[in-house]
Structures are given as structure tokens and as C-alpha cells.
Amino acid sequence: MRPPSQSLAVREDLVSGSLVRVPVDAPQFSRPLTAVWDGSRALSPAAARFLDLATALGVGAP
């Protein structure tokens, strides 16, 4: 997993200075991820890859 300073979603904002990384001395925060889909259809390739990635990273329950 990428460190926060390398996140694709905010990279440009960090480089431009409109966002600043602030280190905190606290436990890591997390929240559960739940995937719900209609089992009568196959997942799209992108959705299947996302589910595989989340499972590999240990996010949520398989």
C-alpha cells in the first residue's frame, strides 16, 4: 500500500502545497468495507479486480 504522501488522489494537491501532510502520533484508523452485488450476474473486470485487491489487503471479510 502506498504511504499517504504518495496517494494518487491527492498527489497534485500535495505537490502544489494546497494540502500539507501532517504527521500524527495516533493508532491507525480503519473502517470496514462491504461489497454487495447481485449474484445473478458476473462482476465487471474492474469490480472483480477491486474485490480481489481488497481481499488481498485484508479489507473487510471475504
Side-chain angles (χ1 to χ4, degrees):
M1 187 176 281
R2 295 177 189 266
S5 62
Q6 297 298 312
S7 173
L8 294 175
V10 298
R11 179 180 293 152
E12 290 180 25
D13 296 312
L14 289 167
V15 170
S16 73
S18 62
L19 285 179
V20 179
R21 183 174 181 207
V22 178
V24 294
D25 187 23
Q28 184 177 11
F29 294 101
S30 65
R31 62 181 184 196
L33 174 67
T34 302
V36 179
W37 65 93
D38 179 357
S40 68
R41 303 186 313 177
L43 293 174
S44 71
R49 177 67 185 123
F50 177 76
L51 189 58
D52 289 343
L53 180 61
T55 302
L57 292 174
V59 177

